[in-house]
Amino acid sequence: MRTLIIYSSKTGNTKKMAYGIYEGLKDEYDLNIEDMDNIKDLSILDDYDTLVVGFWIDKGTANSSAKKFIKNIKNKNIALFATLGADPSSKHGQDVIKNMNRLADKSNYLIEVGIYNGLVDPKLLEKLKTKPPLFLPKPILNKMISSGEKSREPNEEDINDAIVRFSKALKKVS
């Protein structure tokens, strides 16, 4: 079974998770890894039985390019992981997981979904503090800033959790 880990990363959080998963599983599975931005022709996916797709969260779901990419995947075993600037165990994190479960086309077999910590881009935090969007209610803005200030990069615990989670998922389809 050939597996491709594909990731979309804005600030490096998702890339760190993708390479952590790859390093942890490469001796056990036939794996390759690729930045989503480098995949121009989706026919490359035909060479793989299973896709592990990682992305960063934007507005409660996959960032727009990742969402579009995932919608174009058909007839595959697929696992999804994401990095989030809020606490993954928070209500928002649980809502994100629900949204992630709806991303893949129904022709795919969704084998696993995981969400991990991600450090919010400091430039975004500064922008929210100095030039907040006018349409955003103040309580929500304050919650976003507070959550962003508490955010952190994925750590070894996150990576190890992902390795265990996705190893079990890959065993299901091996």
Side-chain angles (χ1 to χ4, degrees):
M1 176 191 72
R2 295 194 70 212
T3 301
L4 179 62
I5 298 173
I6 308 161
Y7 66 90
S8 170
S9 191
K10 182 176 182 178
T11 59
N13 295 307
T14 311
K15 181 178 181 177
K16 181 177 181 177
M17 286 299 301
Y19 273 92
I21 295 166
Y22 174 77
E23 290 297 325
L25 298 178
K26 69 181 181 182
D27 295 335
E28 190 175 348
Y29 298 97
D30 182 8
L31 288 179
N32 287 318
I33 187 166
E34 190 67 54
D35 185 324
M36 194 178 292
D37 291 338
N38 295 336
I39 300 175
K40 304 301 180 205
D41 180 3
L42 290 181
S43 67
I44 188 176
L45 304 181
D46 294 340
D47 295 339
Y48 298 92
D49 307 297
T50 303
L51 306 174
V52 178
V53 184
F55 46 87
W56 50 280
I57 296 299
D58 186 31
K59 299 178 187 89
T61 190
N63 61 286
S64 61
S65 62
K67 191 185 320 184
K68 182 179 174 186
F69 186 91
I70 294 165
K71 295 279 184 208
N72 286 309
I73 298 170
K74 308 282 190 239
N75 302 309
K76 296 287 182 190
N77 299 316
I78 188 171
L80 303 174
F81 71 94
T83 56
L84 174 68
D87 179 357
S89 65
S90 68
K91 165 117 174 53
H92 178 60
Q94 298 311 303
D95 290 343
V96 166
I97 288 175
K98 288 177 190 171
N99 293 337
M100 289 172 67
N101 277 299
R102 295 186 208 119
L103 286 174
D105 183 83
K106 298 293 182 212
S107 68
N108 296 299
Y109 174 43
L110 185 62
I111 60 173
E112 188 58 76
V113 173
I115 188 169
Y116 300 95
N117 287 290
L119 182 65
V120 172
D121 184 350
K123 292 177 190 169
L124 174 61
L125 275 178
E126 192 55 37
K127 185 176 178 183
L128 287 173
K129 290 177 185 177
T130 59
K131 294 182 182 178
L134 298 176
F135 64 86
L136 203 56
K138 191 140 181 96
I140 293 174
L141 173 67
N142 290 340
K143 192 172 185 176
M144 286 174 68
I145 291 170
S146 174
S147 183
E149 289 173 338
K150 294 175 190 168
S151 70
R152 65 168 175 79
E153 290 182 2
N155 61 20
E156 278 308 304
E157 185 178 326
D158 294 318
I159 292 168
N160 289 334
D161 177 83
I163 291 167
V164 169
R165 176 186 302 262
F166 292 108
S167 179
K168 286 178 185 175
L170 292 174
K171 279 186 176 110
K172 283 194 251 181
V173 294
S174 293

